[in-house]
Amino acid sequence: MSNYSLVKPYLITRSVSPENQETPISFVEADRIENRLFYRRNHFSYPNLSYTSSWLPVNGAMQRPTLFSMEDLFRFPSKTIKVLLECAGNKRSLFEPKVFGEQWEKGAVSQGYWTGVPLKSLLEYCGLSAQAKEVVIEGYDQGKRPDTDKVHPFKRSLPIDKALHPDTLVAYQYNGQPLPYKHGCPLRLIVPQWYAMASVKWIKQIRVIESEFEGPFQSIDYIYYPNKDDNEGAFPVTTLNVNSTIQKPVDHDKLDTGQHTIKGIAYTGEGKITQVEISTDGGKSWTNASLENEPSEYEWVSWSHQWPALEKGEYTIMTRAADSTGRIQPMKPFWNRKGYGYNAVDQIKVKIE
């Protein structure tokens, strides 16, 4: 075995404190990302957990507020689902004009198998109030925000219908192992089809409320602001946009003339991926790529295309995906000043020599 065959890809560092690292998406072969390569997104330092963090209070507008132990949760019927998580800021570095924030490239997206108890099971056990409107999930991670001197926990809410979706999980395992510490141990929320800010890590408390939650990670961050200088037309970040990413070749590769495989992934937050198209001439003509696995609602589909690159020169390769709701990747992204939801047609350049 050569030394080269022992080389493994690593996470790509975006910041150290708090830790933000992206998956080396061009060098990921599997469709189940191991913990070592799962992207990491944090607003604050990692929380210090204690014995009390193995208990889960579920309270608020309900008939039977309950403090659940881990053993209690294990007694509920469990569910395992394969779910993709994508940071709302994935591909932020591609926006023009540039926007401020973590300059993610294309790797703030990963997926695997999550096991846990449906949040619905816990809420129904506790007996929801008839006036219940939202479910607030609070994490143990906390810190100061740049726009205030106060210490804020990371806290988000879900509308009641999303909280009661049978696949919204309080997860305690990833890929068949206890949830890794850096990904929310002992409990994290998994909200399929929404950007990953909704999948709160290190759950400290779940509280049902009869009003709208207005914490800063709900009412200031994770909002689409279409204008640079005012908040007119703002609306919340929720469902994943339809998206695709070219994994190989990598941008600005030099290649020999001959047959080359273009491959990548595509995913969406509504319905399923139905089509991925490839252009090797900068968008003048398009060809259907081959979908390599059966598209599902919660995970990416891998695709590939065989490209006979017979003439030397520079080429712009593009890919665009469409889903079963009729959504298709646009040529230009929806620009917003916090840089969320980038999903323009993906493109790279290569040189054939």
Side-chain angles (χ1 to χ4, degrees):
M1 181 182 291
S2 71
N3 289 335
Y4 291 107
S5 64
L6 299 176
V7 174
K8 294 182 178 181
Y10 295 90
L11 290 166
I12 302 165
T13 304
R14 294 290 162 222
S15 70
V16 173
S17 182
E19 184 184 19
N20 288 297
Q21 312 240 27
E22 67 178 89
T23 299
I25 199 69
S26 291
F27 306 101
V28 167
E29 298 288 344
D31 69 346
R32 182 183 72 173
I33 306 302
E34 59 182 300
N35 171 45
R36 186 180 67 87
L37 292 180
F38 203 106
Y39 83 94
R40 299 171 188 172
R41 171 65 176 118
N42 294 288
H43 294 85
F44 308 118
S45 300
Y46 289 105
N48 293 317
L49 302 178
S50 65
Y51 171 76
T52 57
S53 62
S54 62
W55 294 81
L56 176 63
V58 180
N59 52 41
M62 50 183 46
Q63 298 163 13
R64 295 179 300 279
T66 304
L67 182 64
F68 293 99
S69 67
M70 293 298 291
E71 289 73 19
D72 294 333
L73 297 181
F74 294 152
R75 282 194 281 269
F76 282 89
S78 68
K79 177 176 277 192
T80 299
I81 49 177
K82 192 176 184 183
V83 177
L84 168 148
L85 294 183
E86 182 184 26
C87 175
N90 192 31
K91 303 188 180 183
R92 180 181 284 128
S93 64
L94 303 178
F95 274 106
E96 292 291 346
K98 294 289 188 184
V99 295
F100 291 94
E102 217 70 65
Q103 294 299 300
W104 299 105
E105 294 184 357
K106 302 177 184 181
V109 59
S110 301
Q111 68 177 17
Y113 292 93
W114 307 93
T115 300
V117 55
L119 176 58
K120 178 182 180 180
S121 299
L122 302 182
L123 297 177
E124 289 180 344
Y125 177 89
C126 294
L128 283 174
S129 157
Q131 286 75 45
K133 188 169 186 178
E134 295 189 357
V135 179
V136 181
I137 300 91
E138 178 181 350
Y140 275 98
D141 50 330
Q142 61 179 16
K144 289 185 177 180
R145 291 169 50 89
D147 54 4
T148 175
D149 288 334
K150 294 181 179 178
V151 171
H152 291 273
F154 188 79
K155 192 188 294 190
R156 293 267 316 172
S157 75
L158 291 176
I160 203 73
D161 59 339
K162 191 66 175 176
L164 291 175
H165 191 285
D167 291 337
T168 298
L169 296 184
V170 174
Y172 44 73
Q173 285 186 355
Y174 178 66
N175 288 343
Q177 298 295 320
L179 205 59
Y181 169 64
K182 290 193 172 184
H183 293 290
C185 173
L187 298 169
R188 79 169 294 171
L189 201 65
I190 295 295
V191 184
Q193 299 184 316
W194 278 31
Y195 283 104
M197 76 281 153
S199 295
V200 178
K201 301 190 286 286
W202 307 290
I203 299 176
K204 181 179 182 180
Q205 177 179 229
I206 295 173
R207 186 168 184 82
V208 178
I209 59 175
E210 298 177 343
S211 58
E212 287 189 10
F213 175 66
E214 295 186 349
F217 293 102
Q218 191 95 10
S219 59
I220 299 174
D221 291 347
Y222 301 109
I223 298 285
Y224 291 113
Y225 297 103
N227 305 320
K228 182 178 180 181
D229 298 318
D230 63 58
N231 295 346
E232 189 174 343
F235 61 100
V237 175
T238 55
T239 306
L240 293 169
N241 289 325
V242 61
N243 217 332
S244 65
T245 295
I246 300 167
Q247 293 175 286
K248 291 182 180 177
V250 297
D251 193 27
H252 285 83
D253 250 358
K254 289 182 178 181
L255 305 171
D256 296 331
T257 55
Q259 190 88 356
H260 294 282
T261 299
I262 304 170
K263 60 172 288 191
I265 57 175
Y267 49 92
T268 186
E270 293 182 1
K272 301 176 182 180
I273 293 294
T274 54
Q275 183 182 48
V276 177
E277 294 176 286
I278 295 289
S279 174
T280 55
D281 55 14
K284 296 174 185 175
S285 62
W286 295 86
T287 301
N288 282 345
S290 299
L291 305 186
E292 298 189 347
N293 56 292
E294 184 67 28
S296 79
E297 291 183 309
Y298 302 155
E299 62 183 288
W300 68 53
V301 59
S302 295
W303 52 263
S304 65
H305 174 70
Q306 299 303 313
W307 177 37
L310 304 179
E311 295 185 14
K312 295 181 180 181
E314 296 181 6
Y315 293 83
T316 296
I317 300 173
M318 295 179 166
T319 176
R320 66 183 179 195
D323 67 25
S324 55
T325 71
R327 300 192 303 169
I328 188 168
Q329 283 181 267
M331 289 301 296
K332 292 185 176 181
F334 170 66
W335 188 92
N336 60 99
R337 75 168 184 261
K338 282 186 176 282
Y340 297 131
Y342 186 100
N343 78 321
V345 163
D346 196 29
Q347 59 181 292
I348 63 169
K349 289 186 178 181
V350 297
K351 187 174 184 180
I352 302 297
E353 295 186 331

